[in-house]
């Protein structure tokens, strides 16, 4: 049996253990400490970059947390989401984007994607806002757009609609660390942004996430809720419900080490995507998802995705998945849209069929930074063989 090719594996810089050792040596084995502070600072430097955006984002602060899901939850709390409120969420996403809405007993309102980036359709977004206002007499409390598979969404248009109605944006950038839109890093467009450092994301802390906050004051508020909402008093005083969401100093040590390979990971994932494009060119009915040209989209290509049009290709997405599995290669259908999930079946939905179709014909291919060019060739050979068999 040939060795297994996985969808997305973590890859270490080699320096992670130094920072973990330092934490042990100095007895900072707690959910705060020097690694947490340094990791947050390093993320902030990365997100702000050295371009002209430095001034605009001067106040930006990062709060490292136990998971991206925790960051989404805290983001919604800081935006004042209450039971009975409505929150607009991209339907085409991982359940973690939407679950925190339910934690707060608010109602998700799902909005479909446009075809170019597979992310929130700004036209449908506006339709949804107008109709919710008409039906409920209230505006949705927040909007959660996602940069799926690292592809930046149409943030100019989404922000324009959001600003027009004065609805704050909580940007789910869990898959998009290192992606840019018009020279600006994903995660920095909304009032708050979310990152994930789960095992298969751009960088890992074994498990973890971060909330990108607009200023020090909001970051302090996030920290307050992340550490059990302890009021200032010599005893333990509580006036709000808090959470235990802070990142551990050990995990942050892994994160610090990972920051040394983040740029390398982005470069490698983009190169893997380019190789897929090259090797799959000319395979009938199979298309590699590519960013729109010339509009400032710069995806990290966290995962390279293909669509398989069965009429044209002569085989289906499922045929490809099973053929890859036969060759010991992991692949996965695109996210099943939230409006099709049994758990969200009663939620309002504004759609045009885009994400439903993508779920039927789309597949994520192995894309991790540990993948070799030969691995990519092994994957594409399977797809080509299906095609050759047909024609
Ligand atoms: C991974 C992911 C999350 C959640 O992050 P965790 O760190 O796993 O909690 C949220 N949204 C999207 C789109 C994700 O892919």
């Amino acid at each position: 049996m040939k060795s297994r090719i996985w969808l997305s594996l973590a890859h270490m810089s080699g320096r992670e253990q130094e920072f973990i050792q330092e934490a042990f040596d100095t007895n900072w084995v707690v959910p705060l400490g020097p690694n947490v502070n340094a990791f947050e600072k390093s993320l902030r430097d990365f997100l702000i970059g050295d371009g002209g955006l430095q001034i605009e984002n001067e106040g930006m602060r990062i709060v490292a947390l136990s998971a991206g899901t925790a960051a989404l939850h805290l983001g919604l709390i800081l935006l004042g989401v209450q039971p009975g409120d409505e929150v607009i969420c991209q339907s085409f996403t991982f359940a973690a984007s939407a679950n925190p809405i339910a934690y707060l007993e608010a109602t998700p309102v799902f909005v479909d994607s446009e075809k170019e980036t597979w992310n929130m359709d700004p036209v449908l977004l506006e339709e949804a806002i107008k109709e919710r206002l008409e039906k409920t007499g209230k505006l949705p409390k927040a909007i959660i757009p996602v940069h799926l598979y690292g592809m930046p969404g149409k943030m100019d248009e989404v922000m324009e609609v959001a600003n027009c109605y004065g609805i704050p944006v909580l940007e789910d950038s869990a898959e998009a660390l290192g992606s840019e839109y018009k020279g600006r890093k994903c995660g920095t467009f909304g009032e708050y942004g979310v990152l994930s450092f789960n095992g298969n994301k751009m960088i890992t802390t074994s498990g973890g996430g971060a909330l990108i906050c607009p200023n020090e004051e909001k970051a302090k508020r996030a920290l307050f809720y992340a550490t059990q909402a302890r009021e200032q008093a010599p005893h333990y005083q509580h006036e709000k419900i808090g959470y235990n969401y802070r990142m551990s100093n050990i995990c942050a040590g892994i994160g610090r080490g990972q920051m040394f390979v983040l740029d390398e990971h982005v470069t490698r994932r983009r190169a893997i995507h380019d190789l897929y494009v090259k090797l799959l060119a000319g395979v009938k009915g199979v298309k590699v998802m590519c960013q729109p040209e010339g509009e400032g989209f710069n995806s990290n290509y966290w995962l390279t995705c293909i669509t398989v049009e069965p009429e044209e290709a002569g085989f289906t997405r499922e045929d490809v998945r099973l053929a890859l599995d036969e060759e010991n290669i992991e692949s996965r259908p695109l996210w099943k849209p939230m409006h099709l999930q049994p758990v969200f079946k009663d939620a309002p939905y504004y759609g045009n069929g885009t994400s439903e179709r993508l779920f039927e014909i789309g597949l994520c291919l192995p894309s991790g930074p540990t993948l070799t060019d030969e691995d990519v060739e092994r994957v594409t050979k399977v797809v080509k063989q299906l095609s050759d068999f047909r024609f």
Side-chain angles (χ1 to χ4, degrees):
M1 194 69 166
K2 283 184 194 148
S3 64
R4 179 86 168 154
I5 298 180
W6 299 94
L7 200 63
S8 182
L9 287 185
H11 167 253
M12 298 295 130
S13 71
R15 300 202 47 187
E16 289 80 3
Q17 296 206 6
E18 280 172 46
F19 294 113
I20 296 173
Q21 190 60 48
E22 200 177 292
F24 274 81
D25 291 345
T26 55
N27 208 14
W28 279 102
V29 188
V30 278
L32 79 165
N35 280 339
V36 177
N37 298 339
F39 182 43
E40 286 173 343
K41 183 176 179 308
S42 170
L43 282 168
R44 180 177 179 278
D45 290 347
F46 177 83
L47 290 171
I48 287 184
D50 41 21
L53 293 162
Q54 210 140 10
I55 304 301
E56 195 183 335
N57 285 329
E58 195 64 52
M60 187 211 284
R61 292 290 181 276
I62 313 297
V63 178
L65 299 166
S66 56
T69 311
L72 280 153
H73 190 185
L74 291 186
L76 291 176
I77 290 171
L78 294 186
L79 292 174
V81 173
Q82 303 273 340
D85 284 340
E86 290 191 336
V87 174
I88 290 183
C89 183
Q90 185 165 318
S91 183
F92 195 34
T93 187
F94 177 45
S97 307
N99 284 340
I101 303 170
Y103 300 168
L104 292 168
E105 294 177 62
T107 303
V109 173
F110 292 115
V111 168
D112 208 351
S113 295
E114 36 79 15
K115 288 190 173 67
E116 278 189 309
T117 73
W118 297 359
N119 291 310
M120 190 177 276
D121 185 328
V123 178
L124 285 175
L125 170 64
E126 182 155 26
E127 259 179 55
I129 294 172
K130 281 186 179 157
E131 196 180 301
R132 296 327 294 169
L133 183 59
E134 210 174 281
K135 281 205 166 140
T136 69
K138 278 201 315 189
L139 284 171
K141 217 42 187 290
I143 301 168
I144 307 179
V146 187
H147 306 295
L148 217 57
Y149 304 115
M151 182 68 66
K154 297 196 167 175
M155 287 316 285
D156 274 357
E157 288 90 336
V158 168
M159 291 308 295
E160 194 182 312
V161 174
N163 290 336
C164 174
Y165 292 88
I167 306 173
V169 166
L170 172 59
E171 196 186 342
D172 185 345
S173 207
E175 301 175 1
L177 181 56
S179 297
E180 293 173 342
Y181 176 67
K182 299 192 174 170
R184 183 167 167 166
K185 291 280 194 304
C186 286
T188 67
F189 289 89
E191 174 130 8
Y192 294 97
V194 167
L195 299 173
S196 167
F197 316 117
N198 213 322
N200 60 355
K201 299 287 163 77
M202 289 305 287
I203 59 169
T204 186
T205 58
S206 72
L211 187 65
I212 304 165
C213 300
N215 55 49
E216 181 81 33
E217 184 204 332
K218 298 288 165 77
K220 279 195 172 142
R221 212 58 198 153
L223 206 58
F224 167 79
Y225 280 106
T227 53
Q228 307 289 22
R230 283 159 55 181
E231 302 291 341
Q232 281 191 350
H235 59 276
Y236 277 46
Q237 173 81 7
H238 301 283
E239 294 166 19
K240 302 268 188 214
I241 296 294
Y243 302 87
N244 184 6
Y245 278 171
R246 193 65 165 136
M247 179 179 280
S248 114
N249 197 51
I250 302 298
C251 294
I254 307 176
R256 274 180 90 178
Q258 287 274 284
M259 290 307 284
F260 292 99
V261 281
L262 174 52
D263 281 325
E264 209 177 283
H265 284 188
V266 174
T267 303
R268 182 61 195 148
R269 293 208 191 230
R270 283 179 181 152
I272 288 168
H273 173 268
D274 290 351
L275 188 56
Y276 274 123
V277 169
K278 192 176 127 203
L279 294 175
L280 289 173
V283 179
K284 264 207 194 119
V286 174
K287 244 173 53 193
V288 180
M289 167 58 163
C290 289
Q291 63 200 13
E293 266 174 48
E295 286 179 86
F297 292 91
N298 197 6
S299 176
N300 64 15
Y301 286 112
W302 173 56
L303 295 183
T304 293
C305 306
I306 57 169
T307 52
V308 181
E309 293 287 352
E311 307 288 89
E312 222 186 306
F315 52 89
T316 65
R317 180 283 307 281
E318 208 44 21
D319 292 332
V320 178
R321 195 184 67 78
L322 293 171
L324 288 171
D325 192 50
E326 197 74 10
E327 290 295 311
N328 208 16
I329 298 166
E330 186 189 23
S331 67
R332 193 177 300 153
L334 302 185
W335 299 122
K336 180 172 181 174
M338 289 306 113
H339 72 274
L340 297 181
Q341 299 288 358
V343 74
F344 291 125
K345 67 180 188 322
D346 297 328
Y349 164 64
Y350 296 84
N352 54 19
T354 301
S355 61
E356 288 175 16
R357 180 71 184 153
L358 286 170
F359 173 58
E360 256 170 56
I361 65 167
L363 191 69
C364 304
L365 298 179
S367 310
T370 56
L371 226 62
T372 63
D373 286 4
E374 290 69 38
D375 289 334
V376 176
E377 275 165 33
R378 226 178 97 193
V379 175
T380 54
K381 219 173 100 191
V382 174
V383 183
K384 283 182 181 162
Q385 270 168 355
L386 275 176
S387 186
D388 289 346
F389 180 72
R390 178 72 175 72
F391 293 102

